[in-house]
Amino acid sequence: MKNTIFVLFVISVFFGCKPKAESQSSHSETPIAMDEGTLKKIDIHVHFKYSREYLPALFKKWNMQGVLVDVYREDPNGIVRSWDNYLTHAQTYPKMFSLCSAIIGVGIDEPDYAKKTIEQLSQEIDSGARMVKVWKNFGMVTKDASGKYIQIDDPRLQPIWDFLKSKQIPVLAHIAEPLQAWRKLDPKSPHYGYYMGHPQYHAYNFPEIPSYETIISARDNWIQKNPNLKILGAHMGSMSHNVDMVAERLDKFPNMYVETAARFGDLASQDSDEVKAFLTKYQDRVFFGTDYGNSIPQSSIENAQLKEEQRLLDTNYRLLWNYLSGTDSLEIRGQKTRGLGLPIDILKKVYYQNAVNFLKLK
Ligand SMILES: [Zn+2]
């Protein structure tokens, strides 16, 4: 049964990132005197490509809004993006969703690459995009005409960053992968399931992919060279295995922020007191995000599967709420831990206010 639930959810979510069952909390009650629906929330990283009948009520129950994040990706199956789906979904539920556009490095050698990319972004910002995503194809997948992997600090991308600065639009940067991608697969790792399902991103098996250090260092160089560009490091800035490493970058780069999507398992694998101290110190720089989403239309799903998808989404939001707000023992992606018991003032910022300020939602 457990396997069936896992498979049902995995096939119903966006497969390029990695939302899935986070696992179960041993206690479902919320230890602090606040109902989960009282606190306003923004999930800054979701991929609800298609609408669901249950979603408006579920988001209302959680007092949640979401940022629909497009992924413009190049993988072994070709170039794909989902902007039109997200635009339609956001236009149908404008109070529920905001939009994040995306760019890709394919064609970077063409003389009008930057101009065309800026035209695309300009149009999508006019349609409501409040942020632009760069994905791990920068650094790990896409090569230029000379056969070199395009790193995110490539000077040919600079006109795009200058344009985004002029528009005051931030970048959501999923650059590199968790460090474990460059290591032999460990069944105890919170990322075991993802790399089993997406072996093409398990860099350990592809020595030609640049090292973790090379990609992170290009990312850092890009952030440093663009102090007026706000950069939100997706997935804890691909440094989720160690909050000290994240803290070091946040200290160094005032224009850098991070969000938690699909990395609660990594946080849970670290000492709760240390994670709490990190979130306390950087309470203005960390955003709640999950990577939850779907990849097939509701019309293609059986009723029972739809119900299960809804139940899992609700269960997962509750588990993360219990981790952040509570102090009970719980398990996230196989990592046993206890809740962080963050005070209400910090929860308000991480769940909501930081994203409102960053995306100028009000
Ligand atoms: Zn994602």
Side-chain angles (χ1 to χ4, degrees), residues 119-305:
E119 278 168 11
Q120 170 220 317
L121 289 177
S122 187
Q123 207 177 53
E124 290 167 8
I125 290 165
D126 287 347
S127 301
R130 290 179 179 271
M131 186 160 63
V132 173
K133 182 175 193 180
V134 288
W135 206 46
K136 61 193 174 192
N137 41 47
F138 284 102
M140 295 182 73
V141 178
T142 308
K143 295 173 182 172
D144 67 10
S146 75
K148 279 176 74 175
Y149 286 95
I150 303 163
Q151 295 300 333
I152 198 65
D153 63 345
D154 191 305
R156 290 171 288 189
L157 300 169
Q158 192 57 43
I160 299 167
W161 314 136
D162 293 339
F163 167 74
L164 291 176
K165 274 181 238 174
S166 76
K167 289 279 188 182
Q168 294 187 302
I169 294 284
V171 178
L172 176 65
H174 176 174
I175 297 299
E177 280 281 80
L179 181 61
Q180 286 89 338
W182 281 264
R183 303 282 184 267
K184 204 174 165 192
L185 218 48
D186 174 3
K188 288 187 185 139
S189 156
H191 305 290
Y192 182 76
Y194 180 77
Y195 293 117
M196 286 296 282
H198 303 83
Q200 72 271 31
Y201 299 122
H202 187 206
Y204 177 80
N205 292 327
F206 303 97
E208 69 272 22
I209 292 179
S211 69
Y212 176 78
E213 291 74 18
T214 300
I215 299 171
I216 291 292
S217 134
R219 190 277 313 268
D220 287 353
N221 186 40
W222 166 58
I223 297 176
Q224 189 155 35
K225 277 190 172 161
N226 290 279
N228 297 320
L229 182 66
K230 285 190 172 174
I231 294 170
L232 175 57
H235 312 296
M236 300 300 288
S238 294
M239 302 171 292
S240 51
H241 62 287
N242 182 355
V243 290
D244 290 342
M245 193 176 169
V246 183
E248 196 188 306
R249 298 316 192 281
L250 293 178
D251 286 342
K252 204 169 165 190
F253 309 125
N255 55 325
M256 185 183 185
Y257 304 75
V258 290
E259 59 89 14
T260 55
R263 298 296 180 266
F264 280 96
D266 303 75
L267 295 178
S269 73
Q270 294 168 67
D271 181 84
S272 287
D273 289 336
E274 284 175 25
V275 176
K276 184 175 182 177
F278 167 82
L279 287 170
T280 303
K281 185 166 180 192
Y282 300 99
Q283 57 187 273
D284 299 313
R285 314 270 297 276
V286 184
F287 304 64
F288 176 77
T290 64
D291 229 356
Y292 297 153
N294 60 43
S295 59
I296 41 177
Q298 181 170 310
S299 55
S300 318
I301 305 176
E302 298 292 331
N303 250 350
Q305 189 183 342

